[in-house]
Amino acid sequence: MSHEVYIVGVGMTPTGKFADTSLHQLTATAVRAALADAGATARDVDMACFSNVAASYLQGQHMVAGQVVLRDLGILGVPIINVENACASASTAFWLACQSVRSGSADMALAVGAEKLFHADRAKSFEVFGGGFDVTRQNELLAYLARLNQAAGVPMEEGASSERSIFMDIYAALAVNHMQRHGLTQRQLAVVASKNHAHSVHNPLAQYRRPWSVDEVLAGRAITYPLTLPMCAPIGDGAAAVLVCNAAGLQRLPGATPVAVLACELVSGLPRSDDDAAQAITHRAALAAYECAGLGPADVDVAEVHDATAFGEVLQTEALGFCAPGDGGRFAESGATSLGGSLPVNVSGGLESKGHPIGATGLMQIGELTQQLRGRAGPRQVDGARVALAENGGGFIENEEAVACVTLLGTARPGRA
């Protein structure tokens, strides 16, 4: 049995505020594009994983969302798995699809994520994020964030604003802790945000496509120190789909342009001290992915990481081994992560400008990197990209994400299978 896994089709919608577009319509656009990209039909799909977080709370679709939205597309009768794993839901759906074709239980599997996050009541949209941690221990979480802020001499605002999710408070507290321990500066965070907004100018699917200078980012509306508005990912509606197959499935798609899945590792958090970087969740996922692929950080040509805030990118570039622990801010400031740098990160514009439709985000990362490895990314193409990495995390328990997924993709070998 072959254990090889290939991406053969990707499809994405733009991310934005689509009040008159239903979850069904977003899903249909992404799935039809992915199938067309592969030269496949709905009848070729042996199983599907549908990723969504907010439909229960915001649209009242409490159950069987995948069966509901995929039925009219002709994907029915086969196993359909509904996936919720916070902001890592889409990459979890991708992991499940890869596991299915790797095991041989399916020759072709579809991972699709779709989200309708915009609501007339903005506070209701932000409330979705309020379930991304242990709600029975919310007071413990708030006390932990307060300790981080107090240690850095930064007063924590009382309560969470209706104009932001609690995760902005989490990222802000982690950022000030990093500033205290490693010398990270607010200006370095602005460098990250400015870089990602500059990348987004070249991405027609991005929610926001205006460039921001570093000084403009610093002068942006304060969210919660040290974060300003352009450093934070906007919520959005959107969908993405990825079709994967094994060697047997690939033989049925002579017109496909495959990309190899070199590794896809999904892990959950462990109890650890704040200064134990070796046990950090993303670092463990990255080590597992590198070992599976027989590669290391130096082999990566382009990466998409979970920059729900600019600090998220700083944190993850360190955890992925792209730079030393504590050096993420200086790494960005060096220009290394910009398009044309030694390791471009978030050339799609990242979540900060592309938007963050929770249940679709991880698959949007995979879609972007697939096109990079195919050489089809247009003005944001990374020259000679042969190995790509996606990192997608979600939730928060104790002092880190609840779940993290790291995926390595590579140009498919000659011979296709």
Side-chain angles (χ1 to χ4, degrees):
M1 177 189 300
S2 171
H3 295 288
E4 294 175 330
V5 180
Y6 301 93
I7 294 171
V8 286
V10 295
M12 293 178 281
T13 70
T15 303
K17 181 180 180 179
F18 306 129
D20 298 324
T21 306
S22 69
L23 194 68
H24 294 64
Q25 291 169 321
L26 289 169
T27 301
T29 298
V31 169
R32 286 170 177 154
L35 293 175
D37 183 38
T41 69
R43 292 187 298 274
D44 293 312
V45 177
D46 298 319
M47 67 89 67
C49 301
F50 181 76
S51 162
N52 177 273
V53 173
S56 176
Y57 187 63
L58 295 180
Q59 286 93 46
Q61 184 66 56
H62 299 298
M63 303 175 192
V64 297
Q67 286 83 351
V68 167
V69 299
L70 294 175
R71 187 178 184 89
D72 289 344
L73 297 174
I75 300 173
L76 65 171
V78 298
I80 296 175
I81 302 170
N82 290 286
V83 178
E84 180 280 302
N85 225 357
C87 298
S89 294
S91 56
T92 303
F94 180 75
W95 180 83
L96 283 167
C98 290
Q99 293 291 98
S100 180
V101 300
R102 182 175 287 115
S103 72
S105 65
D107 288 337
M108 291 192 204
L110 179 71
V112 55
E115 206 71 80
K116 286 282 295 179
L117 269 182
F118 272 106
H119 193 275
D121 181 355
R122 284 175 55 84
K124 197 170 180 67
S125 294
F126 289 126
E127 285 170 8
V128 171
F129 295 87
F133 53 88
D134 185 344
V135 297
T136 69
R137 296 183 174 180
Q138 182 170 353
N139 288 339
E140 294 177 28
L141 170 61
L142 295 176
Y144 170 69
L145 302 182
R147 286 196 301 273
L148 293 183
N149 280 283
Q150 185 177 20
V154 176
M156 185 172 174
E157 297 177 29
E158 292 295 325
S161 166
S162 62
E163 291 298 310
R164 66 176 187 269
S165 82
I166 192 172
F167 277 83
M168 297 302 100
D169 297 277
I170 291 171
Y171 276 111
L174 295 175
V176 297
N177 178 253
H178 199 286
M179 294 166 85
Q180 179 196 30
R181 295 173 59 208
H182 301 293
L184 175 71
T185 68
Q186 189 183 33
R187 189 170 189 84
Q188 288 170 340
L189 294 176
V191 167
V192 172
S194 176
K195 178 263 299 183
N196 288 338
H197 286 291
H199 288 165
S200 75
V201 171
H202 305 296
N203 185 356
L205 300 181
Q207 186 166 340
Y208 296 121
R209 298 182 64 193
R210 71 155 276 195
W212 291 71
S213 71
V214 172
D215 288 339
E216 286 175 326
V217 173
L218 287 170
R221 178 166 66 85
I223 300 300
T224 179
Y225 183 82
L227 303 176
T228 64
L229 182 65
M231 296 181 190
C232 302
I235 59 174
D237 303 336
V242 177
L243 185 68
V244 297
C245 69
N246 55 21
L250 188 59
Q251 296 303 316
R252 292 157 46 192
L253 300 172
T257 305
V259 164
V261 180
L262 306 178
C264 184
E265 298 294 330
L266 182 73
V267 303
S268 57
L270 293 172
R272 67 174 181 89
S273 64
D274 288 351
D275 59 359
D276 186 0
Q279 289 299 310
I281 185 170
T282 301
H283 186 65
R284 292 190 294 107
L287 289 180
Y290 292 141
E291 181 178 4
C292 178
L295 298 172
D299 296 304
V300 177
D301 299 311
V302 58
E304 290 283 310
V305 308
H306 194 93
D307 62 321
T309 68
F311 177 69
E313 180 173 311
V314 169
L315 184 67
Q316 302 309 343
T317 53
E318 295 175 13
L320 294 165
F322 297 157
C323 61
D327 278 352
R330 290 179 285 275
F331 186 57
E333 205 167 31
S334 74
T337 59
S338 297
L339 187 61
S342 60
L343 178 50
V345 175
N346 288 332
V347 291
S348 67
L351 282 62
E352 290 167 74
S353 54
K354 181 162 51 66
H356 186 18
I358 312 174
T361 293
L363 286 166
M364 288 181 169
Q365 292 177 325
I366 297 295
E368 169 69 26
L369 294 176
T370 296
Q371 298 297 56
Q372 286 284 342
L373 294 175
R374 289 170 165 176
R376 299 177 182 173
R380 64 186 187 281
Q381 179 67 48
V382 175
D383 290 340
R386 296 184 58 81
V387 175
L389 180 147
E391 175 275 324
N392 185 210
F396 197 80
I397 296 179
E398 293 187 0
N399 60 354
E400 66 177 4
E401 301 96 322
V403 55
C405 185
V406 173
T407 301
L408 284 166
L409 307 177
T411 49
R413 293 188 295 274
R416 295 170 55 83

